[in-house]
Amino acid sequence: MVTTKHTPEYFNAFGADFLPGYLGIRFTEVGPGRLAAELKIDKHLLAPNGYLHAGTVISLADTCAGCGCLSNLPEGARSFTTVELKSNHMGTAREGTIACVATAVHLGRTTQVWDAVVTDQASGKTIALFRCTQMLLYPK
């Protein structure tokens, strides 16, 4: 169940001093089983060949899936850790903004599975498809 504290503003502040903030990820939507964010492409996000670094795309998708998981933890769960991720890349970008929408596939008591689609915001072209599994963590 999504808690009222989990808003785009909450996640923007939550990640500001960590990798999401350093990369420039900006959360735009948080809802039941869904989270969206965007990332303006700057030079430091590119590979030396001038194209968007695959790690940038994966970081955006994993961040969206992770924050989606955090905002949909079942009662009693305190946190999570990613136990598997997979990414298929179909395109790239060199400028503009990329966007990501993560949706819950499975919201279980011990695991969650999230899919994320990363697109070029201007063209709507799919850049990557991403899936990850998170193990939910409970207090001992």
Side-chain angles (χ1 to χ4, degrees):
M1 170 189 309
V2 175
T3 64
T4 55
K5 79 174 186 176
H6 294 123
T7 64
E9 297 77 19
Y10 170 84
F11 282 120
N12 288 327
F14 181 69
D17 293 334
F18 300 95
L19 185 64
Y22 174 75
L23 294 177
I25 294 172
R26 190 177 76 78
F27 296 92
T28 58
E29 177 189 344
V30 180
R34 182 179 165 96
L35 187 135
E38 61 188 22
L39 176 59
K40 182 182 177 300
I41 298 171
D42 288 320
K43 184 177 180 180
H44 72 280
L45 301 175
L46 303 177
N49 66 2
Y51 290 96
L52 190 58
H53 196 288
T56 300
V57 177
I58 292 168
S59 292
L60 174 62
D62 189 53
T63 297
C64 287
C67 290
C69 178
L70 189 61
S71 67
N72 286 273
L73 290 175
E75 188 171 331
R78 294 291 179 249
S79 192
F80 71 94
T81 189
T82 300
V83 293
E84 186 208 16
L85 59 83
K86 180 186 185 326
S87 183
N88 290 84
H89 298 257
M90 281 76 73
T92 190
R94 299 176 101 167
E95 60 186 18
T97 300
I98 57 173
C100 181
V101 175
T103 55
V105 176
H106 169 71
L107 295 175
R109 181 143 172 76
T110 59
T111 62
Q112 290 189 10
V113 177
W114 285 75
D115 282 347
V117 178
V118 179
T119 59
D120 180 305
Q121 196 170 57
S123 69
K125 179 182 172 185
T126 299
I127 292 175
L129 301 174
F130 176 89
R131 173 169 276 190
C132 70
T133 302
Q134 288 105 348
M135 178 176 62
L136 305 185
L137 303 174
Y138 290 84
K140 292 189 178 211

